[in-house]
Amino acid sequence: MIKDLSTLSTTSHYITLKGVQGIQFNHSVISTQCTVNNILKFMDVDKSVQRDTIEQQISNISKYIQYGLDGNDIYFPPMIFSARGKGTFHNETNDFHLDLDDKMYILDGQHRIKAFELLTKRLELKNDPINKDKLKKILNFPLSIQIFTNLTTDQERQLFTDINTKSSRVNNTLLIMYKNNDLCGELVKEIIQNHPSISEDRFEIRSKTTRTKLMTSATLYSLINVLNEGLLGGPMVIKSKINPDNYKLYKKRTEEFLTLLIKYAPEYAYDRNKHIIFIPNIISSIALFIYTTQKKNPAISMELLFEKVIKSFDWTHKNKELRNLAVSYNPNTKKYNFTTGVRTIKSISQYLEKIFEGGKK
């Protein structure tokens, strides 16, 4: 949840940051917290050290920030700056003073702050009270930062390289299992821990992907929203409509889907080199088929759809019909690639609908 906090003060001449000074990698570094508003004032980018930004990455982070504006808890790792000798740290007060005309160069976090900047510019164009409040929250959002005080540009380049080659982003599977204030995430955890027929160890709750278990917690999160709402996308993209009133219904339908998925899956379905039915986008395709068909025909049971369509479908990489459904095929490995997302999910779902409606024998 984005809170209206400010942890620094600004005089007419300089910005004051409360922090702690220490040594890291044999270099002086100051750890502190700063609002987005002030970072935008003192941040600069050295193209000889930084890479060009990736628009899609900025867009994804913007959606995550919007997720925070909607009342959810969000977290960002510390940004890293190089002061290049600018600013003064006062040990007696633990204050770091930076002249308003001085700049600090960002070494890690460029996409994060660009996403905040993008949303700030959008909200500045709107004058209604709700968006004004959102703008205030964004500008006062506190970000942890580390400031290296006296790095050379060669040392900056090395640090930038190390950060971007030796670190890894927390995946959605872990985020879902550990974040709070997300009712859909709570349902994921409840189903994993208490499904009546599927043991907890059949779900992957740490790694980004799985080739031996039924699915990851992130896949289950997406499944809940596709099956019950027809919404496609990951946990940081979609805005679930789950609430205390429909929670039990979502739980019942999702548990039933999982039970039927295993019941009607082919033998050796866990062998993803042969079968595709447990691949995340295929699971979403089946869920979308169930959602769409039952929306059109509320009296049709979920099990009937599994029995009439899913059970008899060829869920192997040998199914040549899939090549006509926007699914890429590698002739060298003789396997399909289902990572293309929404288009593939919709295409396969619509094909399953045609089978059920008798459009294809």
Side-chain angles (χ1 to χ4, degrees):
M1 181 182 296
I2 291 183
K3 299 177 181 179
D4 183 6
L5 297 174
S6 179
T7 59
L8 54 81
S9 61
T10 305
T11 72
S12 58
H13 304 293
Y14 55 82
I15 294 171
T16 299
L17 303 174
K18 284 286 186 181
V20 177
Q21 187 176 41
I23 300 296
Q24 192 174 102
F25 309 122
N26 296 319
H27 295 289
S28 173
V29 63
I30 299 165
S31 298
T32 184
Q33 198 174 58
C34 183
T35 62
V36 167
N37 187 40
N38 280 282
I39 290 177
L40 291 173
K41 291 177 181 177
F42 64 65
M43 184 193 79
D44 204 347
V45 177
D46 186 340
K47 292 295 184 181
S48 69
V49 175
Q50 271 283 358
R51 62 186 173 187
D52 291 335
T53 54
I54 302 171
E55 293 302 320
Q56 185 59 51
Q57 193 169 337
I58 294 174
S59 176
N60 290 340
I61 297 173
S62 297
K63 292 175 183 176
Y64 181 57
I65 298 170
Q66 184 61 57
Y67 178 75
L69 288 173
D70 291 336
N72 300 287
D73 290 331
I74 60 175
Y75 168 77
F76 290 103
M79 295 181 176
I80 299 177
F81 287 85
S82 177
R84 295 185 178 179
K86 303 294 186 181
T88 305
F89 187 80
H90 299 273
N91 290 294
E92 63 277 8
T93 58
N94 287 329
D95 288 341
F96 178 69
H97 290 173
L98 183 71
D99 288 348
L100 292 179
D101 293 332
D102 287 340
K103 297 293 183 182
M104 293 195 294
Y105 293 85
I106 191 163
L107 301 182
D108 184 55
Q110 182 180 198
H111 287 89
R112 278 165 267 162
I113 198 62
K114 288 292 184 182
F116 275 105
E117 185 178 31
L118 176 65
L119 284 175
T120 297
K121 290 180 178 178
R122 288 178 183 172
L123 292 171
E124 285 175 342
L125 298 175
K126 301 178 180 180
N127 294 316
D128 59 285
I130 293 177
N131 283 300
K132 282 185 177 181
D133 182 61
K134 287 183 177 181
L135 177 60
K136 182 180 178 182
K137 288 179 179 179
I138 284 183
L139 291 176
N140 287 326
F141 186 83
L143 292 169
S144 296
I145 65 173
Q146 291 184 315
I147 305 166
F148 284 86
T149 58
N150 288 292
L151 295 180
T152 66
T153 52
D154 285 340
Q155 289 169 337
E156 289 176 356
R157 292 189 192 97
Q158 184 61 53
L159 181 57
F160 172 81
T161 301
D162 289 346
I163 290 168
N164 287 280
T165 58
K166 298 179 181 178
S167 63
S168 59
R169 187 179 65 177
V170 176
N171 62 63
N172 283 339
T173 300
L174 275 176
L175 285 175
I176 289 167
M177 297 306 296
Y178 286 99
K179 71 179 181 179
N180 299 313
N181 300 322
D182 182 345
L183 196 56
C184 188
E186 293 303 313
L187 179 54
V188 167
K189 286 177 270 192
E190 183 175 350
I191 290 174
I192 288 175
Q193 294 165 3
N194 301 303
H195 191 281
S197 62
I198 304 173
S199 63
E200 186 174 348
D201 62 6
R202 287 291 81 202
F203 296 92
E204 177 55 61
I205 61 173
R206 295 189 62 83
S207 299
K208 182 178 180 181
T209 61
T210 181
R211 293 190 64 81
T212 59
K213 299 185 179 184
L214 177 59
M215 64 181 67
T216 66
S217 61
T219 299
L220 179 54
Y221 190 105
S222 297
L223 165 61
I224 290 170
N225 288 287
V226 179
L227 179 66
N228 294 287
E229 302 171 16
L231 293 176
L232 295 173
M236 301 310 163
V237 177
I238 58 177
K239 185 177 180 181
S240 178
K241 298 177 183 177
I242 190 171
N243 58 61
D245 294 329
N246 61 30
Y247 183 92
K248 288 184 178 179
L249 176 61
Y250 279 33
K251 180 176 182 286
K252 177 179 179 296
R253 283 178 52 79
T254 306
E255 288 181 339
E256 181 183 7
F257 179 94
L258 292 171
T259 301
L260 295 173
L261 180 65
I262 290 179
K263 178 179 179 179
Y264 290 102
E267 190 177 8
Y268 308 116
Y270 284 95
D271 182 359
R272 287 166 171 84
N273 287 320
K274 181 179 180 181
H275 292 100
I276 62 174
I277 193 167
F278 290 161
I279 291 175
N281 279 345
I282 294 298
I283 293 174
S284 291
S285 297
I286 296 172
L288 184 60
F289 158 64
I290 299 292
Y291 168 81
T292 304
T293 304
Q294 288 191 313
K295 190 174 183 181
K296 294 177 181 177
N297 309 278
I300 295 177
S301 71
M302 194 182 298
E303 181 151 20
L304 177 65
L305 296 176
F306 269 91
E307 185 178 7
K308 296 296 184 183
V309 179
I310 307 306
K311 180 182 178 181
S312 58
F313 193 82
D314 181 3
W315 295 109
T316 70
H317 287 280
K318 294 181 179 180
N319 187 347
K320 295 182 179 179
E321 295 177 350
L322 293 173
R323 301 188 193 185
N324 301 319
L325 302 177
V327 182
S328 62
Y329 181 78
N330 188 328
N332 295 321
T333 62
K334 296 182 179 180
K335 291 183 177 64
Y336 287 102
N337 181 354
F338 295 96
T339 60
T340 50
V342 173
R343 183 185 175 194
T344 297
I345 293 171
K346 289 183 177 179
S347 180
I348 295 175
S349 173
Q350 291 166 1
Y351 187 67
L352 295 175
E353 285 184 64
K354 289 181 181 180
I355 295 175
F356 176 72
E357 293 167 357
K360 188 177 190 317
K361 303 296 183 182

